[in-house]
Amino acid sequence: MNTVITAFILSLGLAASAAAQDDNAAPSSSGTQEERDAVADMMRRDDPDAREDEELSSEPGSIVVLRGLDKVTARTRDFEIAIGETAQFGALAITAQYCRKRPPEETPETYAFLQIRDRRTDGFGVDTQGEQVFSGWMFASRPAQNPLEHPVYDVWVLDCRA
């Protein structure tokens, strides 16, 4: 009986965190240049380092460097994604929306806003819509703070380049 109650409480907690992650989803990267610029402006306003009436000491990057781990094969792969572009890692489609790296004279931190979809196929190898499994900020210095929760893959931020 205790096991059933514990499982029920855990499932409620997981459902609440999944719902909160879905609520934080940013608009899709597809669309006109004006729409992409609007998304970029929104990301700058939501930048974790942004403070009112204070100029940021660094510029947003144009390429985010990620590392992916396939938990089944225990293999890692480093890959770069241009901002606004989508890269494939296994069954994941990863879209980088924004990244920034603090200058060396400040406390080191690199962070990126990522949207990750788990691609699905229809049984004949044709991709279908899939499911969004992550949408939010990832921090290089604290990968466990806002991790991708996936049974097969782990993805984390390494760097942000201009």
Side-chain angles (χ1 to χ4, degrees):
M1 186 64 178
N2 287 339
T3 306
V4 173
I5 292 172
T6 304
F8 177 72
I9 291 171
L10 287 174
S11 66
L12 285 177
L14 290 174
S17 67
Q21 200 172 50
D22 289 343
D23 290 344
N24 292 332
S28 171
S29 63
S30 62
T32 66
Q33 182 63 37
E34 187 174 290
E35 290 170 340
R36 287 191 295 270
D37 289 343
V39 169
D41 288 341
M42 179 185 69
M43 293 300 158
R44 285 186 200 98
R45 284 193 306 272
D46 290 342
D47 190 323
D49 277 348
R51 294 179 187 87
E52 287 188 35
D53 302 328
E54 187 176 319
E55 189 71 25
L56 290 174
S57 59
S58 62
E59 292 296 318
S62 59
I63 296 174
V64 63
V65 181
L66 303 173
R67 177 168 290 156
L69 167 67
D70 183 330
K71 297 177 191 176
V72 175
T73 62
R75 294 185 184 189
T76 61
R77 189 182 97 188
D78 293 354
F79 49 98
E80 298 179 356
I81 306 174
I83 299 301
E85 298 294 320
T86 300
Q88 307 300 320
F89 175 66
L92 300 179
I94 304 168
T95 304
Q97 296 289 356
Y98 184 84
C99 77
R100 184 178 293 270
K101 181 177 183 177
R102 288 186 188 160
E105 61 270 7
E106 293 182 17
T107 305
E109 183 63 87
T110 302
Y111 48 89
F113 189 88
L114 304 174
Q115 293 177 309
I116 303 175
R117 297 191 69 76
D118 191 358
R119 297 183 340 231
R120 306 274 190 228
T121 60
D122 63 358
F124 298 103
V126 177
D127 282 346
T128 61
Q129 181 64 22
E131 172 188 8
Q132 184 162 335
V133 293
F134 181 85
S135 180
W137 294 98
M138 280 193 185
F139 298 86
S141 66
R142 296 167 277 161
Q145 181 179 8
N146 201 7
L148 165 69
E149 295 178 9
H150 192 274
V152 178
Y153 302 105
D154 276 343
V155 174
W156 60 95
V157 176
L158 293 179
D159 197 10
C160 178
R161 299 184 184 149

